[in-house]
């Protein structure tokens, strides 16, 4: 009898302990659930996610500031070429690392930058470039980008000459180096992969999804997981509704870099990117991990597809180009996108795949000037196989 009583007592104690443990492990959600059917694909992102007081829980500052820094860096390198002035590699390095208050005001139809705001932001492009890689590998990519700054600065010394094989200068409206490579395009398109694709896809929408979603960040009204998702969106576009009103024929919003090329080279999926960001954000509110992973994988896959199709598109433009300036400009863009393929990790691409393509295309002594249809076709075929295109 006593033995049975003791056994019963132990069972009750164990049950009580398990119940207490279970209560401790269950964390309350931060927000009330969002009905996925209520998401409005024509309405702004920030207004659709609020706290109990009705205040938006979305903050695009970090993503948007870095996207503006990228615009400013690109503006400085390309406008200097247009003005036929030489370029100082150290200025580009300062813009890249946000050192020494390098940003200045820019106001054009497509770029609006307030220099003092970016200078005082405490943010930079360099430290997130290739940041999904090991420290050594990431630093190698950053050093390569800075080497491109030196290459365009060297080419700009010949900005008033006409380029030819072995001679840097202008080809039509484009500045190329002695191998016929347009470094301004190499810089921009390489950063689309090393900066935007890698940080958005391989960091924020990958490891970033493991962040805490049960407490708000100190002095903020968002969780770290909410913010990681919002930062990804903010680095893709400056618009509250990405590509709002766009059709296959017309891009209705001003977009830059990756945000623009998704529309141009992924017609099958560009209109689904904004809805995916909305649904993924709602899944974070709902702590619906399965749905969150589905939307993250979709966005990452389609960004990679856009870059692969862009690489193919510009390689093809070399074949259809009517003259050397058109072909050189196409190859500058194409080579930059080929470099960016190394960050398309969902498709199994890596640095070796990308470097083999680049060496096959322009690894010879005269680079662009030695290109032929066989080299272009070999690279294109390899990309099609890797990406299933």
């Amino acid at each position: 009898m006593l033995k049975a009583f003791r056994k019963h007592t132990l069972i009750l104690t164990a049950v009580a302990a398990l119940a207490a443990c279970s209560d401790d492990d269950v964390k309350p959600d931060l927000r009330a659930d969002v009905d996925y059917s209520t998401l409005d694909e024509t309405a702004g992102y920030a207004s659709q996610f609020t706290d109990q007081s009705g205040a938006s829980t979305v903050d695009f500052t970090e993503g948007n500031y870095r996207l503006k820094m990228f615009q400013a860096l690109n503006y400085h390198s390309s406008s200097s070429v247009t003005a036929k002035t030489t370029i100082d590699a150290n200025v580009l390095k300062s813009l890249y690392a946000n050192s020494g208050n390098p940003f200045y005001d820019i106001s054009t139809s497509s770029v609006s930058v307030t220099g003092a705001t970016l200078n005082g932001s405490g943010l930079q492009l360099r430290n997130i470039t290739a940041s999904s890689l090991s420290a050594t590998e990431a630093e190698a990519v950053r050093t390569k980008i800075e080497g491109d700054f030196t290459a365009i600065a060297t080419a700009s010394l010949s900005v008033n000459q006409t380029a030819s094989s072995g001679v840097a200068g202008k080809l039509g409206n484009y500045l190329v180096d002695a191998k016929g490579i347009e470094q301004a395009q190499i810089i921009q398109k390489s950063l689309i992969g090393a900066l935007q694709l890698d940080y958005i896809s391989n960091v924020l929408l990958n490891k970033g999804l493991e962040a805490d979603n049960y407490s708000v960040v100190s002095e903020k009204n968002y969780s770290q997981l909410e913010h990681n998702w919002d930062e990804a969106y903010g680095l893709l576009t400056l618009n509250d509704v990405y590509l709002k009103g766009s059709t296959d024929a017309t891009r209705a919003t001003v977009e830059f870099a990756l945000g623009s090329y998704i529309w141009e080279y992924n017609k099958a999926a560009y209109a689904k990117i904004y809805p995916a960001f909305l649904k993924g954000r709602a899944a974070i509110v709902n702590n619906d991990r399965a749905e969150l992973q589905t939307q993250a994988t979709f966005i990452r896959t389609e960004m990679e597809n856009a870059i692969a199709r862009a690489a193919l598109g510009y390689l093809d433009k070399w074949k259809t180009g009517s003259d050397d300036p058109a072909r050189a400009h196409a190859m500058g863009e194409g080579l930059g996108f080929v470099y960016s393929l190394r960050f398309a990790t969902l498709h199994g691409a890596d640095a070796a795949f990308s470097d083999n393509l680049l060496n096959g295309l322009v690894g010879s002594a005269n680079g662009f000037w030695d290109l032929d249809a066989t080299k272009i076709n070999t690279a294109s075929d390899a990309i099609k196989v890797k990406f299933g295109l």
Side-chain angles (χ1 to χ4, degrees):
M1 181 67 179
L2 179 60
K3 184 176 181 181
F5 174 76
R6 286 174 175 170
K7 181 178 181 181
H8 181 67
T9 301
L10 286 172
I11 291 172
L12 289 176
T13 302
V15 170
L18 286 172
C21 181
S22 178
D23 288 343
D24 290 342
D25 288 345
V26 175
K27 298 178 181 178
D29 290 347
L30 277 178
R31 328 279 181 205
D33 279 4
V34 173
D35 182 343
Y36 293 119
S37 68
T38 66
L39 296 172
D40 187 346
E41 298 171 4
T42 66
Y45 180 117
S47 65
Q48 299 192 59
F49 303 102
T50 59
D51 61 16
Q52 291 181 328
S53 69
S56 176
T57 58
V58 175
D59 183 350
F60 292 139
T61 301
E62 291 174 63
N64 279 178
Y65 277 15
R66 283 194 167 109
L67 187 53
K68 285 178 175 283
M69 287 178 175
F70 187 6
Q71 287 182 312
L73 175 65
N74 182 69
Y75 175 87
H76 186 79
S77 60
S78 58
S79 62
S80 295
V81 173
T82 303
K84 294 186 177 181
T85 57
T86 57
I87 297 171
D88 186 339
N90 289 324
V91 173
L92 292 174
K93 290 178 182 177
S94 295
L95 290 166
Y96 186 45
N98 192 13
S99 61
N101 297 317
F103 293 100
Y104 50 89
D105 294 351
I106 304 171
S107 181
T108 72
S109 60
S110 58
V111 182
S112 178
V113 168
T114 302
T117 300
L118 298 185
N119 288 333
S121 68
L123 301 171
Q124 58 171 283
L125 302 178
R126 193 181 194 283
N127 66 351
I128 65 165
T129 300
S131 52
S132 74
L133 305 179
S134 70
T136 299
E137 292 170 325
E139 188 58 25
V141 173
R142 295 162 189 163
T143 300
K144 180 267 180 194
I145 299 291
E146 290 172 331
D148 294 338
F149 298 159
T150 300
I152 195 173
T154 300
S156 75
L157 298 174
S158 303
V159 71
N160 292 310
Q161 298 183 36
T162 299
S164 60
S165 180
V167 178
K170 294 285 289 293
L171 266 181
N173 294 321
Y174 312 114
L175 175 68
V176 301
D177 64 16
K179 294 181 69 174
I181 308 300
E182 189 185 6
Q183 292 294 335
Q185 292 300 327
I186 298 296
I187 293 167
Q188 184 195 107
K189 272 57 183 185
S190 295
L191 283 174
I192 284 176
L195 177 75
Q196 285 186 292
L197 178 64
D198 189 61
Y199 194 57
I200 292 172
S201 177
N202 299 329
V203 177
L204 295 173
L205 300 191
N206 188 21
K207 286 289 186 182
L209 301 186
E210 299 172 2
D212 174 56
N213 196 38
Y214 293 97
S215 59
V216 294
V217 175
S218 177
E219 300 183 357
K220 305 293 183 181
N221 62 340
Y222 50 71
S223 72
Q224 188 58 57
L225 178 56
E226 289 174 328
H227 192 57
N228 288 350
W229 192 265
D230 299 340
E231 187 179 356
Y233 184 81
L235 186 57
L236 175 67
T237 180
L238 299 174
N239 293 301
D240 207 24
V241 180
Y242 174 54
L243 293 175
K244 184 176 184 179
S246 297
T247 67
D248 287 2
T250 304
R251 195 191 65 215
T253 56
V254 174
E255 305 292 349
F256 172 70
L258 180 57
S260 177
Y261 286 102
I262 288 174
W263 171 81
E264 186 172 354
Y265 281 98
N266 195 342
K267 296 300 187 189
Y270 74 84
K272 301 174 183 175
I273 297 295
Y274 182 60
F277 265 105
L278 289 181
K279 196 164 187 178
R281 186 57 159 81
I284 291 172
V285 172
N286 298 343
N287 278 307
D288 182 349
R289 290 284 175 172
E291 188 62 54
L292 174 61
Q293 190 60 58
T294 296
Q295 299 308 321
T297 301
F298 173 79
I299 294 168
R300 297 177 66 196
T301 300
E302 297 307 330
M303 289 195 298
E304 291 186 5
N305 282 336
I307 288 178
R309 290 179 184 278
L312 290 174
Y314 284 107
L315 291 178
D316 190 58
K317 286 183 179 179
W318 177 89
K319 293 193 291 187
T320 60
S322 59
D323 53 25
D324 281 341
R327 287 188 284 270
H329 183 58
M331 281 312 300
E333 301 204 55
L335 293 171
F337 279 118
V338 170
Y339 181 83
S340 285
L341 293 177
R342 72 191 60 218
F343 299 102
T345 57
L346 291 184
H347 286 88
D350 55 19
F353 173 74
S354 176
D355 286 340
N356 283 338
L357 296 181
L358 292 171
N359 288 333
L361 287 165
V362 292
S364 65
N366 291 317
F368 162 78
W369 301 101
D370 287 341
L371 273 170
D372 56 36
T374 299
K375 292 180 180 180
I376 296 289
N377 291 337
T378 299
S380 295
D381 291 345
I383 294 170
K384 290 175 183 175
V385 170
K386 176 67 74 177
F387 287 84
L389 300 175

